[in-house]
Amino acid sequence: MNSEFEKNSAQKKGQGKNIIIIVLVLLVIISGIKLYTDYVDRTKKTEEILILSTENNDLNKRLDSVTYQLDLRIQEIEKLGGDIKALEEVKNQLVAERNSSRQRSASEIATLNAKINSYNGMIAEKDQEILELRAMNQQLYSENQDLKTTQAEIEEEVAQLNIQRENLQAKVNVASMLKAENISISAVNSKGKERVETTKDFKNRQIERIKVSFNLADNKVAEKGPRNIYVQVLAPNSQPIFDVAKGSGTFMMNGNEQFYTVKQDVIFDNSGNELVFYYEKGSDYVSGPHEVRIFVDNYQVGSKSFTVK
């Protein structure tokens, strides 16, 4: 009895092991199938990507080619005087598409290839237009040959008239330049007493302020109106004396920025009225020769020197 029971138990255990083995075999088979199908899918996608990449590269080459061909036609038509607006718009579209960094889909590639084919047809039409424009330009050139001699003579006359006018204008410009005359430089002490530079050299203790006076010479050619008048006092080292806090600043002279010592804005009316400028330095002057330069707008109209001991 016991031996029969043990025999049945052994049979059941064997059957259980067989089932487990079968299940494991099935799992292995299923996993293998899954791995194979995944591999096939990956391989297919890789092939599609490679194909799209190749097609994109080929499309970019076609875009470069048609853009280059368009550019040649644009240059030629523009040189011949034709309308290039439409061609410029197409070229800009192609350049924008070429510069795009995104990967195009198969449908987008097909659409662009169709457009490029149509653009090739347009290029052929523009070649015919170029031929027509060349013929028209040749005809105009032939017609203009008869007028060239007369035109050259007229241009020569106009050039001579322009030269005469420029020479006359240059003379007027020179004649209209103002000139400072009767320039006087004085040292004004703390009590208001003036010492003119013609008497003797100035001493620092005599200089509370420098006074510069002059008048603008009679000039009937010069245009009446507002003028900027700058007085520049140069130290013995030829550097301008200035103090922005006391009204000094800068002006342009022959394209260069320079400092002025004092400035006045006046209305020139050719009256010859005396103009007076004062400058209080606030410290001793360096011993030696000083120069006063007077400018109207952007040119010099006069100068005079004084010496400080």
Side-chain angles (χ1 to χ4, degrees):
M1 186 74 176
N2 288 332
S3 62
E4 186 178 347
F5 177 76
E6 290 174 355
K7 183 179 179 181
N8 289 334
S9 296
Q11 289 178 349
K12 288 179 178 180
K13 288 180 180 179
Q15 291 175 353
K17 288 180 180 179
N18 291 335
I19 291 171
I20 291 171
I21 291 170
I22 292 170
V23 169
L24 291 174
V25 170
L26 289 173
L27 289 174
V28 170
I29 293 171
I30 292 170
S31 297
I33 293 171
K34 181 66 168 61
L35 289 173
Y36 176 75
T37 55
D38 288 347
Y39 169 76
V40 171
D41 287 341
R42 285 196 302 272
T43 301
K44 185 177 180 181
K45 288 179 180 178
T46 301
E47 290 175 352
E48 291 175 353
I49 291 172
L50 289 173
I51 292 171
L52 277 177
S53 178
T54 301
E55 290 179 352
N56 267 286
N57 289 335
D58 292 341
L59 179 60
N60 285 334
K61 291 178 181 178
R62 294 194 71 194
L63 286 171
D64 288 338
S65 175
V66 74
T67 301
Y68 174 73
Q69 294 299 325
L70 278 173
D71 197 44
L72 291 177
R73 273 66 177 183
I74 288 171
Q75 294 177 32
E76 184 66 18
I77 292 174
E78 184 177 27
K79 184 171 66 175
L80 294 170
D83 185 8
I84 60 172
K85 184 177 180 181
L87 287 178
E88 288 279 11
E89 291 177 357
V90 172
K91 176 187 170 184
N92 291 337
Q93 292 174 8
L94 291 174
V95 171
E97 184 62 42
R98 179 63 178 86
N99 292 336
S100 175
S101 59
R102 66 185 183 85
Q103 190 77 359
R104 305 177 188 90
S105 65
S107 61
E108 289 174 329
I109 291 173
T111 300
L112 279 172
N113 276 319
K115 282 186 178 181
I116 290 173
N117 290 334
S118 67
Y119 292 153
N120 286 330
M122 182 178 65
I123 287 174
E125 293 175 1
K126 293 302 175 181
D127 286 341
Q128 181 60 37
E129 180 181 336
I130 288 171
L131 292 175
E132 294 172 0
L133 285 171
R134 284 176 178 169
M136 290 174 59
N137 276 272
Q138 182 61 39
Q139 182 180 354
L140 289 173
Y141 174 80
S142 299
E143 293 173 355
N144 287 335
Q145 288 300 305
D146 297 335
L147 302 174
K148 273 192 173 181
T149 302
T150 304
Q151 183 179 358
E153 292 173 352
I154 293 173
E155 289 176 353
E156 178 63 24
E157 291 178 3
V158 171
Q160 291 298 326
L161 287 173
N162 285 334
I163 292 172
Q164 293 175 14
R165 184 181 62 186
E166 290 172 0
N167 290 337
L168 178 60
Q169 186 61 50
K171 292 178 181 178
V172 171
N173 290 341
V174 171
S176 65
M177 294 180 70
L178 300 176
K179 182 179 179 182
E181 61 181 11
N182 303 319
I183 303 171
S184 175
I185 303 173
S186 304
V188 183
N189 64 20
S190 58
K191 295 180 180 180
K193 183 178 178 180
E194 295 184 14
R195 182 180 297 271
V196 183
E197 91 288 340
T198 55
T199 58
K200 59 174 66 177
D201 298 336
F202 298 148
K203 297 179 181 178
N204 265 302
R205 58 183 174 81
Q206 298 169 338
I207 309 175
E208 178 74 15
R209 293 185 295 169
I210 286 290
K211 175 185 174 183
V212 179
S213 60
F214 58 91
N215 63 278
L216 296 174
D218 177 66
N219 189 325
K220 294 181 175 58
V221 179
E223 182 179 356
K224 295 180 180 180
R227 296 287 194 279
N228 298 315
I229 300 182
Y230 308 96
V231 172
Q232 187 185 65
V233 181
L234 300 179
N237 62 358
S238 298
Q239 294 301 311
I241 296 172
F242 65 93
D243 187 343
V244 176
K246 294 182 179 180
S248 302
T250 61
F251 69 107
M252 298 303 295
M253 179 68 178
N254 297 326
N256 297 316
E257 188 176 37
Q258 294 196 32
F259 280 97
Y260 61 81
T261 307
V262 287
K263 170 193 174 186
Q264 284 188 32
D265 297 330
V266 303
I267 300 297
F268 172 73
D269 56 5
N270 205 30
S271 63
N273 293 335
E274 184 181 49
L275 300 173
V276 180
F277 293 75
Y278 289 96
Y279 179 69
E280 183 178 347
K281 187 171 183 292
S283 60
D284 287 347
Y285 284 81
V286 176
S287 297
H290 291 64
E291 183 181 6
V292 172
R293 293 179 180 175
I294 302 168
F295 300 87
V296 171
D297 295 333
N298 61 351
Y299 61 92
Q300 187 172 335
V301 298
S303 65
K304 196 162 188 176
S305 301
F306 67 93
T307 304
V308 178
K309 283 190 173 181

PDB file of all heavy atoms in Angstrom, residues 63 172 188:
ATOM      1  N   LEU A  63      18.604  72.561 -53.236  1.00  0.00           N
ATOM      2  CA  LEU A  63      18.302  73.931 -52.805  1.00  0.00           C
ATOM      3  C   LEU A  63      19.477  74.854 -53.073  1.00  0.00           C
ATOM      4  O   LEU A  63      19.306  75.983 -53.550  1.00  0.00           O
ATOM      5  CB  LEU A  63      17.955  73.944 -51.304  1.00  0.00           C
ATOM      6  CG  LEU A  63      16.590  73.380 -50.908  1.00  0.00           C
ATOM      7  CD1 LEU A  63      16.487  73.258 -49.388  1.00  0.00           C
ATOM      8  CD2 LEU A  63      15.461  74.263 -51.433  1.00  0.00           C
ATOM      9  N   VAL A 172      33.993 133.677 -52.503  1.00  0.00           N
ATOM     10  CA  VAL A 172      32.965 134.276 -51.636  1.00  0.00           C
ATOM     11  C   VAL A 172      33.140 133.812 -50.202  1.00  0.00           C
ATOM     12  O   VAL A 172      33.030 134.602 -49.250  1.00  0.00           O
ATOM     13  CB  VAL A 172      31.550 133.921 -52.151  1.00  0.00           C
ATOM     14  CG1 VAL A 172      30.487 134.344 -51.140  1.00  0.00           C
ATOM     15  CG2 VAL A 172      31.291 134.581 -53.492  1.00  0.00           C
ATOM     16  N   VAL A 188      43.378 143.094 -15.295  1.00  0.00           N
ATOM     17  CA  VAL A 188      42.530 143.849 -14.381  1.00  0.00           C
ATOM     18  C   VAL A 188      42.824 143.364 -12.965  1.00  0.00           C
ATOM     19  O   VAL A 188      42.685 142.161 -12.679  1.00  0.00           O
ATOM     20  CB  VAL A 188      41.044 143.659 -14.717  1.00  0.00           C
ATOM     21  CG1 VAL A 188      40.178 144.512 -13.791  1.00  0.00           C
ATOM     22  CG2 VAL A 188      40.781 143.997 -16.183  1.00  0.00           C
TER      23      VAL A 188
END
